[in-house]
Amino acid sequence: MTTSRTRTASTRAVATIASSLLALGALGACSTDTTASSDGSVAVGDTDAFPVTIEHAFGETVIDEAPTSVATVSWANQDAVIALGVVPVAMPFSTYGGDENGYLPWTLDALEALGDERPTLYSDTDGIPFDELELAGPDLILGTYSGMSDDEYSQLSKIAPTIAYPEVAWGTDWTTQLDVAGQALGLDDEAAALQTEIEDGIATAVESAPEIEGKTFAYLAFSSTDPSVVSYYTPTDSRVRFVESLGLVIAPSIVELSKDSAEFYGEVSAELADTIDADIVFAYVDSPEHLAAVEADPLLSAIPAIASGAIVVLDDPTFILSTSAPSPLSIPWAVREYVPLIQEAATHVE
């Protein structure tokens, strides 16, 4: 028996956390100085905090004064900004996991809590649309969670001061997203308070599930077109670190496979699948039929957790995005559903 994600999340509990989080974000925005620039736009952060210098993978970026128009690229970055009470001037249209208007549910909830203002949504299906971003007129571009290239960083920096990922592409966890956004907006104290709020929410969820503490796990992706390999996510990946924050421990075999890698994921031959010694497997699959194929595969079914059914199945785009690119807004939305799924998987650990 396997554990499949259902849509029975505790909506009330999620709403409680989200409301608290948003209230804190709004409080943060209202409790700081506001200074109007020459074009009438308003800086929401502490203007005395500037200039600020932020280091990242491509060097360092100096922000001379409190931003008034923030644009974001890639996934999750908009959430850190909105969680602090600031509506970006531009952000990506969420094709994967979003609604017909391009919004993820937790992002839209937060925007609605802040009022009627909405960002310009742009498509990045064919790459970053530099012209559209320039038209939005940002004075800061955040890409803390991203895999932007050196060339993309250079082009973005011609539009506005740009902040790339700190060290590992796609490896920035939600706390760093929030910390960097707080520094860049002059909202350090608000970011720190919000982090505490979110961590308290995680701790409350974990306290209700002591049986998952210490269980080992592997975060895997299975391909329906090429079952000869298994992709695994390394200890530097943000989705892996999110699971660790729930009290689980990454499997020794994944640590060993990752020891010489600076990447957020890797691949291993299906012929070695039986060496993945995790109690629980978090499994990306395309569909229930794909999961059945994995469970029937003579090599893949040799993974002990697959054989025992200790699986957290990840096949819904919205839920996948909430946990694979965890953000200060998606975590409170997802955690109340994630923990019961892990509890259910843990009942099958042998």
Side-chain angles (χ1 to χ4, degrees):
M1 180 177 177
T2 60
T3 305
S4 178
R5 196 189 76 83
T6 66
R7 294 184 180 279
T8 57
S10 173
T11 304
R12 183 176 301 170
V14 170
T16 299
I17 293 176
S19 297
S20 175
L21 182 154
L22 290 170
L24 186 59
L27 176 63
C30 295
S31 63
T32 51
D33 295 338
T34 58
T35 302
S37 65
S38 57
D39 64 0
S41 54
V42 175
V44 296
D46 177 6
T47 55
D48 293 334
F50 295 89
V52 168
T53 300
I54 297 176
E55 297 183 353
H56 51 77
F58 301 120
E60 60 182 32
T61 295
V62 178
I63 306 170
D64 291 320
E65 55 187 20
T68 61
S69 303
V70 184
T72 67
V73 297
S74 185
W75 296 342
N77 297 297
Q78 74 280 348
D79 288 354
V81 174
I82 296 167
L84 291 171
V86 177
V87 178
V89 293
M91 57 182 260
F93 184 104
S94 294
T95 303
Y96 185 81
D99 63 17
E100 65 275 14
N101 296 313
Y103 290 107
L104 296 161
W106 51 88
T107 304
L108 183 59
D109 288 348
L111 282 171
E112 289 177 343
L114 292 174
D116 296 330
E117 185 180 3
R118 295 290 179 272
T120 296
L121 301 186
Y122 62 84
S123 172
D124 59 1
T125 302
D126 296 321
I128 298 173
F130 299 102
D131 291 344
E132 287 187 61
L133 276 172
E134 186 168 12
L135 284 173
D139 57 7
L140 174 68
I141 299 174
L142 283 178
T144 312
Y145 180 83
S146 74
M148 74 172 69
S149 67
D150 196 349
D151 180 63
E152 289 171 330
Y153 169 74
S154 296
Q155 293 189 64
L156 290 170
S157 296
K158 293 176 182 176
I159 299 172
T162 299
I163 300 173
Y165 54 87
E167 295 179 359
V168 178
W170 305 111
T172 310
D173 66 20
W174 69 271
T175 61
T176 303
Q177 296 167 28
L178 192 56
D179 178 59
V180 171
Q183 291 180 58
L185 297 172
L187 294 169
D188 299 76
D189 292 344
E190 291 77 5
L194 185 53
Q195 179 177 335
T196 299
E197 181 91 355
I198 296 170
E199 289 175 338
D200 287 347
I202 293 173
T204 298
V206 172
E207 284 174 3
S208 68
E211 69 272 27
I212 69 175
E213 184 172 2
K215 291 288 188 296
T216 59
F217 74 98
Y219 221 118
L220 307 178
F222 298 94
S223 169
S224 57
T225 58
D226 184 8
S228 68
V229 296
V230 179
S231 297
Y232 61 89
Y233 291 88
T234 69
T236 61
D237 182 71
S238 61
R239 82 203 73 200
V240 170
R241 287 148 78 180
F242 180 30
V243 175
E244 288 180 310
S245 76
L246 299 176
L248 287 81
V249 180
I250 190 165
S253 58
I254 299 300
V255 173
E256 179 66 19
L257 286 168
S258 310
K259 66 180 182 181
D260 296 322
S261 173
E263 302 296 330
F264 69 96
Y265 82 102
E267 290 184 345
V268 62
S269 168
E271 294 182 350
L272 299 175
D274 61 342
T275 65
I276 299 176
D277 56 349
D279 292 326
I280 296 172
V281 161
F282 292 71
Y284 286 142
V285 291
D286 297 337
S287 63
E289 293 75 19
H290 182 202
L291 176 63
V294 169
E295 292 176 314
D297 186 285
L299 295 177
L300 300 178
S301 64
I303 298 173
I306 295 292
S308 68
I311 311 169
V312 176
V313 180
L314 302 167
D315 60 2
D316 177 83
T318 302
F319 187 74
I320 286 174
L321 197 57
S322 73
T323 53
S324 63
S327 77
L329 291 178
S330 74
I331 286 176
W333 187 90
V335 71
R336 298 286 178 150
E337 187 168 359
Y338 216 14
V339 170
L341 290 175
I342 300 169
Q343 285 179 287
E344 172 60 21
T347 66
H348 300 283
V349 174
E350 295 180 346

mmCIF file of all heavy atoms in Angstrom, residues 8 27 56 58 70-71 73 85 90 95 98 102 129 142 167 169 173 235 262 265 274 307 343:
data_model
loop_
_atom_site.group_PDB
_atom_site.id
_atom_site.type_symbol
_atom_site.label_atom_id
_atom_site.label_comp_id
_atom_site.label_asym_id
_atom_site.label_seq_id
_atom_site.Cartn_x
_atom_site.Cartn_y
_atom_site.Cartn_z
ATOM 1 N N THR A 8 -7.357 16.660 1.327
ATOM 2 C CA THR A 8 -8.048 16.802 2.598
ATOM 3 C C THR A 8 -7.254 17.644 3.572
ATOM 4 O O THR A 8 -7.260 17.448 4.754
ATOM 5 C CB THR A 8 -8.294 15.426 3.207
ATOM 6 O OG1 THR A 8 -7.042 14.750 3.338
ATOM 7 C CG2 THR A 8 -9.219 14.596 2.341
ATOM 8 N N LEU A 27 1.973 43.944 9.136
ATOM 9 C CA LEU A 27 2.492 44.726 10.247
ATOM 10 C C LEU A 27 3.887 45.215 9.938
ATOM 11 O O LEU A 27 4.232 46.371 10.183
ATOM 12 C CB LEU A 27 2.512 43.864 11.523
ATOM 13 C CG LEU A 27 3.134 44.518 12.760
ATOM 14 C CD1 LEU A 27 2.334 45.742 13.171
ATOM 15 C CD2 LEU A 27 3.200 43.518 13.909
ATOM 16 N N HIS A 56 26.421 37.276 -3.511
ATOM 17 C CA HIS A 56 25.748 36.141 -4.153
ATOM 18 C C HIS A 56 26.720 35.452 -5.098
ATOM 19 O O HIS A 56 27.924 35.794 -5.119
ATOM 20 C CB HIS A 56 24.486 36.606 -4.888
ATOM 21 C CG HIS A 56 24.712 37.758 -5.813
ATOM 22 N ND1 HIS A 56 25.300 37.616 -7.040
ATOM 23 C CD2 HIS A 56 24.460 39.091 -5.645
ATOM 24 C CE1 HIS A 56 25.388 38.805 -7.622
ATOM 25 N NE2 HIS A 56 24.878 39.725 -6.794
ATOM 26 N N PHE A 58 27.424 35.577 -8.140
ATOM 27 C CA PHE A 58 28.114 36.330 -9.188
ATOM 28 C C PHE A 58 28.821 37.578 -8.658
ATOM 29 O O PHE A 58 29.152 38.479 -9.423
ATOM 30 C CB PHE A 58 27.132 36.703 -10.299
ATOM 31 C CG PHE A 58 26.483 35.488 -10.930
ATOM 32 C CD1 PHE A 58 25.111 35.320 -10.892
ATOM 33 C CD2 PHE A 58 27.259 34.511 -11.539
ATOM 34 C CE1 PHE A 58 24.519 34.201 -11.457
ATOM 35 C CE2 PHE A 58 26.672 33.381 -12.101
ATOM 36 C CZ PHE A 58 25.300 33.213 -12.057
ATOM 37 N N VAL A 70 9.977 46.489 -6.959
ATOM 38 C CA VAL A 70 10.727 45.233 -6.935
ATOM 39 C C VAL A 70 10.146 44.256 -7.949
ATOM 40 O O VAL A 70 8.940 44.009 -7.958
ATOM 41 C CB VAL A 70 10.677 44.589 -5.535
ATOM 42 C CG1 VAL A 70 11.539 43.337 -5.490
ATOM 43 C CG2 VAL A 70 11.113 45.585 -4.488
ATOM 44 N N ALA A 71 11.009 43.700 -8.797
ATOM 45 C CA ALA A 71 10.608 42.637 -9.714
ATOM 46 C C ALA A 71 11.291 41.350 -9.279
ATOM 47 O O ALA A 71 12.350 41.377 -8.658
ATOM 48 C CB ALA A 71 10.991 42.985 -11.147
ATOM 49 N N VAL A 73 12.320 37.138 -10.463
ATOM 50 C CA VAL A 73 12.459 36.150 -11.526
ATOM 51 C C VAL A 73 12.439 34.764 -10.893
ATOM 52 O O VAL A 73 12.673 34.603 -9.704
ATOM 53 C CB VAL A 73 13.760 36.351 -12.330
ATOM 54 C CG1 VAL A 73 13.763 37.689 -13.045
ATOM 55 C CG2 VAL A 73 14.983 36.221 -11.434
ATOM 56 N N GLY A 85 4.855 42.016 2.876
ATOM 57 C CA GLY A 85 3.888 43.079 2.694
ATOM 58 C C GLY A 85 4.119 43.952 1.483
ATOM 59 O O GLY A 85 3.544 45.035 1.387
ATOM 60 N N ALA A 90 6.545 43.219 -11.004
ATOM 61 C CA ALA A 90 6.510 42.177 -12.034
ATOM 62 C C ALA A 90 6.995 40.870 -11.441
ATOM 63 O O ALA A 90 7.912 40.851 -10.608
ATOM 64 C CB ALA A 90 7.380 42.565 -13.227
ATOM 65 N N THR A 95 2.855 28.964 -14.794
ATOM 66 C CA THR A 95 2.247 27.969 -15.682
ATOM 67 C C THR A 95 2.109 26.633 -14.974
ATOM 68 O O THR A 95 1.067 25.973 -15.050
ATOM 69 C CB THR A 95 3.111 27.795 -16.945
ATOM 70 O OG1 THR A 95 3.263 29.064 -17.577
ATOM 71 C CG2 THR A 95 2.472 26.818 -17.918
ATOM 72 N N GLY A 98 -0.074 26.794 -11.262
ATOM 73 C CA GLY A 98 -0.873 27.989 -11.053
ATOM 74 C C GLY A 98 -2.273 27.870 -11.626
ATOM 75 O O GLY A 98 -2.603 26.910 -12.333
ATOM 76 N N GLY A 102 -2.489 32.535 -13.700
ATOM 77 C CA GLY A 102 -1.054 32.509 -13.453
ATOM 78 C C GLY A 102 -0.640 32.663 -12.013
ATOM 79 O O GLY A 102 0.534 32.929 -11.733
ATOM 80 N N PRO A 129 12.217 37.335 -19.961
ATOM 81 C CA PRO A 129 11.896 38.373 -20.958
ATOM 82 C C PRO A 129 12.447 39.740 -20.497
ATOM 83 O O PRO A 129 11.757 40.523 -19.859
ATOM 84 C CB PRO A 129 10.368 38.357 -20.972
ATOM 85 C CG PRO A 129 9.996 37.977 -19.576
ATOM 86 C CD PRO A 129 11.080 37.073 -19.063
ATOM 87 N N LEU A 142 15.002 40.496 -7.757
ATOM 88 C CA LEU A 142 15.380 39.410 -6.858
ATOM 89 C C LEU A 142 15.302 38.060 -7.578
ATOM 90 O O LEU A 142 14.264 37.716 -8.147
ATOM 91 C CB LEU A 142 14.460 39.386 -5.638
ATOM 92 C CG LEU A 142 14.703 40.438 -4.545
ATOM 93 C CD1 LEU A 142 13.667 40.279 -3.433
ATOM 94 C CD2 LEU A 142 16.103 40.306 -3.976
ATOM 95 N N GLU A 167 24.836 30.540 -3.524
ATOM 96 C CA GLU A 167 25.932 29.629 -3.842
ATOM 97 C C GLU A 167 25.531 28.579 -4.872
ATOM 98 O O GLU A 167 26.156 28.452 -5.914
ATOM 99 C CB GLU A 167 26.436 28.927 -2.567
ATOM 100 C CG GLU A 167 27.074 29.878 -1.557
ATOM 101 C CD GLU A 167 27.527 29.152 -0.303
ATOM 102 O OE1 GLU A 167 27.317 27.928 -0.220
ATOM 103 O OE2 GLU A 167 28.078 29.809 0.592
ATOM 104 N N ALA A 169 22.882 26.914 -7.509
ATOM 105 C CA ALA A 169 21.689 27.170 -8.318
ATOM 106 C C ALA A 169 20.543 26.282 -7.860
ATOM 107 O O ALA A 169 20.722 25.077 -7.663
ATOM 108 C CB ALA A 169 22.008 26.907 -9.789
ATOM 109 N N ASP A 173 17.260 27.869 0.325
ATOM 110 C CA ASP A 173 16.103 27.484 1.125
ATOM 111 C C ASP A 173 15.261 28.710 1.480
ATOM 112 O O ASP A 173 15.647 29.853 1.245
ATOM 113 C CB ASP A 173 16.517 26.698 2.364
ATOM 114 C CG ASP A 173 17.315 27.535 3.354
ATOM 115 O OD1 ASP A 173 17.247 28.781 3.303
ATOM 116 O OD2 ASP A 173 18.019 26.942 4.180
ATOM 117 N N PRO A 235 21.705 16.760 -0.498
ATOM 118 C CA PRO A 235 21.464 17.487 0.755
ATOM 119 C C PRO A 235 21.428 19.007 0.602
ATOM 120 O O PRO A 235 20.928 19.698 1.492
ATOM 121 C CB PRO A 235 22.651 17.055 1.633
ATOM 122 C CG PRO A 235 23.031 15.714 1.115
ATOM 123 C CD PRO A 235 22.828 15.799 -0.372
ATOM 124 N N ALA A 262 28.322 19.318 -6.268
ATOM 125 C CA ALA A 262 27.852 20.637 -5.856
ATOM 126 C C ALA A 262 26.475 20.920 -6.451
ATOM 127 O O ALA A 262 25.964 22.025 -6.330
ATOM 128 C CB ALA A 262 28.836 21.713 -6.305
ATOM 129 N N TYR A 265 20.914 17.892 -7.635
ATOM 130 C CA TYR A 265 20.393 16.555 -7.894
ATOM 131 C C TYR A 265 21.436 15.734 -8.651
ATOM 132 O O TYR A 265 22.432 16.270 -9.160
ATOM 133 C CB TYR A 265 19.087 16.611 -8.687
ATOM 134 C CG TYR A 265 19.276 16.770 -10.175
ATOM 135 C CD1 TYR A 265 19.133 15.676 -11.029
ATOM 136 C CD2 TYR A 265 19.624 17.992 -10.718
ATOM 137 C CE1 TYR A 265 19.315 15.808 -12.396
ATOM 138 C CE2 TYR A 265 19.818 18.131 -12.076
ATOM 139 C CZ TYR A 265 19.654 17.044 -12.909
ATOM 140 O OH TYR A 265 19.848 17.175 -14.261
ATOM 141 N N ASP A 274 18.588 -0.756 -5.368
ATOM 142 C CA ASP A 274 18.415 -1.446 -4.086
ATOM 143 C C ASP A 274 19.343 -0.923 -2.998
ATOM 144 O O ASP A 274 19.202 -1.280 -1.832
ATOM 145 C CB ASP A 274 18.607 -2.952 -4.264
ATOM 146 C CG ASP A 274 20.002 -3.310 -4.762
ATOM 147 O OD1 ASP A 274 20.698 -2.410 -5.290
ATOM 148 O OD2 ASP A 274 20.399 -4.482 -4.617
ATOM 149 N N ALA A 307 9.297 -1.185 -2.052
ATOM 150 C CA ALA A 307 8.763 -2.530 -1.807
ATOM 151 C C ALA A 307 7.781 -2.559 -0.642
ATOM 152 O O ALA A 307 6.772 -3.275 -0.680
ATOM 153 C CB ALA A 307 9.923 -3.487 -1.547
ATOM 154 N N GLN A 343 3.303 10.772 7.824
ATOM 155 C CA GLN A 343 2.853 9.851 8.882
ATOM 156 C C GLN A 343 2.320 8.556 8.266
ATOM 157 O O GLN A 343 2.612 7.460 8.752
ATOM 158 C CB GLN A 343 1.752 10.513 9.711
ATOM 159 C CG GLN A 343 2.232 11.582 10.672
ATOM 160 C CD GLN A 343 1.069 12.200 11.441
ATOM 161 O OE1 GLN A 343 0.291 12.972 10.893
ATOM 162 N NE2 GLN A 343 0.952 11.842 12.704
#
